[in-house]
Amino acid sequence: MISHNVLKKLETRLGYQFENSDLAVLALTHRSYSGRSGHNNERLEFLGDSALNFLVAEALYRRVPKATEGQLSLMRSRLVRGRTLAELARELQLGDFLLLGPGELKTGGFHRESILADVLEALLGAIYLDAGLEACRQRVEVWFAERLEKVSVTNQCNKDAKTRLQEYLQARRQQPPVYQLLDTMKHAGEPLFRVCCQVADRAGVEAEGGSRRIAEQRSAWKMLISLGVEVEQCD
């Protein structure tokens, strides 16, 4: 379990003090530590994910008044994707507080991107149950402050690779790309997907990722490069 002193250290890093410390402990509990339903952070993660999507959308709506609905969606997807959440969790050093089972401890689960992203969402869900939406809004504004300052309609990194590839082909009156799932496998206990992106009259390009969506984005990015389009890798 987590001692009082360790919990206080966590609260300092989060910038939030829990009324119900059991919620904080539950948010830090990975299913490998307690596989029993309701005794790990998966339900809190679900709740936190919903709150995060709404609050980031709200923040973007206020900060980027000239953005279209599609542009807002793209900006939000970049801010709430797993990689960004894992980066934030590392900045807050949340891995130091995770409750993991022996297998995850042995394989370095406290460094794993998916686990770190999940615990950040779970903690937000715990804060929501502890103090409501306004407390969550304050934490999101602080945690995402630097990243929210950088978003803009003209930032090409806010437009994901699949969207850019589709628009590139549409502008040239070409057929949209086709994404084919080639394989699913396991790597270090985590799912790994391999996808091929195909465009008419060009050889397909393959890429892998921890989800099918990520694999498709990476394959689209590689296809843009093969077409000679100058892009920054955002995923």
Side-chain angles (χ1 to χ4, degrees):
M1 294 298 291
I2 297 177
S3 70
H4 176 77
N5 288 338
V6 171
L7 179 61
K8 290 302 178 185
K9 191 174 182 180
L10 169 69
E11 291 176 336
T12 298
R13 293 186 184 174
L14 294 175
Y16 176 81
Q17 184 173 347
F18 283 91
E19 290 291 331
N20 182 356
S21 60
D22 290 343
L23 286 170
V25 174
L26 185 60
L28 298 168
T29 305
H30 188 256
R31 64 178 178 272
S32 63
Y33 186 89
S34 176
R36 291 184 297 162
S37 177
H39 290 78
N40 59 56
N41 65 8
E42 290 179 337
R43 283 169 54 83
L44 284 175
E45 174 203 338
F46 167 79
L47 186 61
D49 173 71
S50 298
L52 180 64
N53 273 274
F54 168 71
L55 291 170
V56 168
E58 179 188 59
L60 288 169
Y61 183 87
R62 287 188 280 104
R63 280 173 167 77
V64 198
K66 294 183 179 180
T68 65
E69 181 272 341
Q71 290 167 331
L72 288 169
S73 295
L74 290 169
M75 288 184 241
R76 180 182 61 180
S77 67
R78 176 161 170 77
L79 287 169
V80 302
R81 64 180 181 171
R83 175 176 293 185
T84 302
L85 300 186
E87 288 173 356
L88 274 169
R90 291 189 184 99
E91 291 168 10
L92 295 168
Q93 299 178 301
L94 298 183
D96 296 348
F97 305 96
L98 285 167
L99 295 175
L100 302 172
E104 288 293 348
L105 285 171
K106 186 176 181 180
T107 58
F110 47 86
H111 292 308
R112 187 164 298 143
E113 184 174 288
S114 60
I115 292 177
L116 290 171
D118 289 349
V119 76
L120 187 76
E121 291 179 330
L123 283 164
L124 191 66
I127 292 171
Y128 174 78
L129 291 180
D130 196 56
L133 190 62
E134 182 56 34
C136 291
R137 181 179 287 111
Q138 292 174 9
R139 290 304 89 210
V140 168
E141 292 279 354
V142 172
W143 295 347
F144 286 83
E146 184 177 345
R147 291 167 173 85
L148 285 168
E149 286 296 324
K150 291 179 180 178
V151 297
S152 70
V153 175
T154 58
N155 184 351
Q156 288 300 306
C157 215
N158 286 325
K159 187 172 288 187
D160 64 87
K162 287 180 67 175
T163 299
R164 295 193 67 187
L165 179 58
Q166 177 113 349
E167 291 178 352
Y168 175 89
L169 295 172
Q170 285 178 344
R172 288 155 181 79
R173 300 183 182 277
Q174 298 179 24
Q175 291 296 313
V178 175
Y179 299 92
Q180 180 183 4
L181 179 64
L182 301 178
D183 197 12
T184 58
M185 60 203 90
K186 290 281 187 178
H187 177 70
E190 293 289 308
L192 188 66
F193 296 77
R194 186 165 78 248
V195 166
C196 179
C197 175
Q198 295 177 304
V199 171
D201 301 324
R202 297 194 71 89
V205 296
E206 297 179 14
E208 296 177 347
S211 70
R212 182 167 181 170
R213 181 188 64 81
I214 292 173
E216 289 179 353
Q217 290 287 357
R218 290 175 177 170
S219 65
W221 177 79
K222 291 174 72 173
M223 179 59 76
L224 284 166
I225 295 298
S226 74
L227 290 167
V229 181
E230 293 187 8
V231 291
E232 177 185 356
Q233 186 174 9
C234 297
D235 284 298

